[in-house]
Amino acid sequence: KFTWSNFALPFKVLGSLWKARSIMKAFKPDVVIGVGGYASGPTLQMATMLGFPTVIQEQNSFPGKTNKILAKKVNKICVAYDHLESFFPADKIIKTGNPVRSTSVAITNKREEALAFFGLKADRKVILILGGSLGAKTLNQSVLDQLELIEQEEVQLIWQCGKWYKEAMDEAMKNAPNPAIVCLDFVARMDLAYAAADVIISRAGAMSVSELSLVAKPTILVPSPNVSEDHQTKNAMALVSAGAALLVKDVEARNTLIQTAISLLKTPENAQHLAQSLVAFGKPRATEEIVDVIESVL
């Protein structure tokens, strides 16, 4: 079916390629690195045409369209998951992991400091809930629906609800039971939040999964359904299929998420198995290894 937008698309792509060519001719990069997304497509395409060394850093377990299209043309492809040979040329793949901030995952011997920082009690278990900087409506509603259970079970929460939801969550908590909940729009000290946690609930974005793999605490993943090609579910399943995390579907979270977390707290052998299995996914030298790959193509 003809539409003017479809008619105009090839001209937009050609315009983007021409702009990318102009930038690279002027800048003369030593290497061009793409991390996926449509914005990187014309840039890497033109870089390969001009003969510049090129590297893709694929963060997810299921690559996006841009990286799949460019894969045959770039020099090397850094990945964070196994079994991507069906998408990329096997001889170009190097498993490096995803780079994360070392300060965020440095949690050794910080539990006491962490509990004091968040004002939590040492004799009660802690659930950390991470909804991302903007927040996750489903995770927030899952907490509000189970406030009585949280109080009844005497568990504590560090709850990162997101800046979009903070005011509404504070209002909703005014007339609710008073469990030990620290509700934050943003967690400035992720290292202390991770150090305090006995169980972690999180979305399954690529960078979140990479951090969680290094932290290696019992983890429940709730993939967002609002992402392209459902890549968060695929990220989560890479861990779940190896017994390294539990999965709760977004549509089931309000009824089962908090109960699943509390059940995990009550079965330390299951929690320990998850944590030990998660260690295998951690790549603490990801940044250095990616740099090594970049240097190898220069």
Side-chain angles (χ1 to χ4, degrees), residues 49-120:
M49 293 171 67
L50 294 174
F52 291 109
T54 50
V55 175
I56 284 175
Q57 201 259 314
E58 174 55 60
Q59 301 174 355
N60 294 290
S61 63
F62 187 84
K65 292 179 180 178
T66 300
N67 283 351
K68 286 190 282 188
I69 292 170
L70 293 168
K72 292 182 180 179
K73 302 176 182 179
V74 300
N75 296 103
K76 294 292 181 181
I77 305 169
C78 299
V79 302
Y81 294 88
D82 293 320
H83 312 305
L84 292 181
E85 293 82 3
S86 58
F87 304 106
F88 300 142
D91 61 331
K92 296 184 179 182
I93 295 174
I94 300 175
K95 186 179 178 182
T96 59
N98 290 322
V100 302
R101 293 171 296 172
S102 59
T103 54
S104 295
V105 297
I107 66 172
T108 305
N109 299 324
K110 289 186 177 180
R111 182 172 174 81
E112 185 176 345
E113 178 189 356
L115 294 174
F117 181 85
F118 292 106
L120 300 174

Side-chain angles (χ1 to χ4, degrees), residues 24 30 37 51 56 106 120 158 176 180-181 190 203 207 222 238-239 267 288 294:
M24 281 185 284
D30 294 306
I56 284 175
L120 300 174
I158 302 172
I181 294 178
M190 281 305 305
R203 288 303 201 189
M207 303 311 293
V222 188
L239 273 61
T267 52
E288 291 90 338
I294 294 168

Side-chain angles (χ1 to χ4, degrees), residues 17-229:
L17 287 168
W18 185 256
K19 290 177 182 177
R21 181 181 184 277
S22 298
I23 291 170
M24 281 185 284
K25 284 284 189 178
F27 185 68
K28 296 181 175 63
D30 294 306
V31 62
V32 181
I33 305 165
V35 294
Y38 294 116
S40 71
T43 306
L44 261 73
Q45 174 71 24
M46 184 52 66
T48 61
M49 293 171 67
L50 294 174
F52 291 109
T54 50
V55 175
I56 284 175
Q57 201 259 314
E58 174 55 60
Q59 301 174 355
N60 294 290
S61 63
F62 187 84
K65 292 179 180 178
T66 300
N67 283 351
K68 286 190 282 188
I69 292 170
L70 293 168
K72 292 182 180 179
K73 302 176 182 179
V74 300
N75 296 103
K76 294 292 181 181
I77 305 169
C78 299
V79 302
Y81 294 88
D82 293 320
H83 312 305
L84 292 181
E85 293 82 3
S86 58
F87 304 106
F88 300 142
D91 61 331
K92 296 184 179 182
I93 295 174
I94 300 175
K95 186 179 178 182
T96 59
N98 290 322
V100 302
R101 293 171 296 172
S102 59
T103 54
S104 295
V105 297
I107 66 172
T108 305
N109 299 324
K110 289 186 177 180
R111 182 172 174 81
E112 185 176 345
E113 178 189 356
L115 294 174
F117 181 85
F118 292 106
L120 300 174
K121 298 179 179 179
D123 61 345
R124 293 190 179 186
K125 298 293 186 180
V126 178
I127 300 173
L128 171 62
I129 301 178
L130 301 171
S133 59
L134 300 180
K137 182 178 180 180
T138 300
L139 301 190
N140 292 342
Q141 196 60 54
S142 298
V143 174
L144 293 181
D145 288 353
Q146 301 297 333
L147 288 173
E148 291 186 5
L149 177 63
I150 294 166
E151 184 175 39
Q152 175 186 324
E153 295 292 340
E154 297 186 334
V155 296
Q156 304 174 112
L157 263 63
I158 302 172
W159 174 22
Q160 191 257 312
C161 67
K163 64 179 182 179
W164 284 3
Y165 297 99
K166 183 63 165 70
E167 185 176 344
M169 296 302 100
D170 288 342
E171 185 64 28
M173 295 276 288
K174 284 182 178 178
N175 300 317
N178 188 32
I181 294 178
V182 180
C183 182
L184 304 167
D185 57 347
F186 177 77
V187 180
R189 290 292 304 271
M190 281 305 305
D191 58 327
L192 297 184
Y194 285 139
D198 295 291
V199 165
I200 300 172
I201 295 170
S202 176
R203 288 303 201 189
M207 303 311 293
S208 295
V209 170
S210 293
E211 280 197 2
L212 293 167
S213 298
L214 292 172
V215 169
K217 295 284 185 83
T219 297
I220 302 169
L221 297 172
V222 188
S224 170
N226 305 311
V227 295
S228 61
E229 301 179 275

Side-chain angles (χ1 to χ4, degrees), residues 236-245 273-274 276-278 280-281:
M237 288 307 301
L239 273 61
V240 173
S241 61
H273 174 75
L274 289 175
Q276 290 175 341
S277 300
L278 192 53
F281 288 86

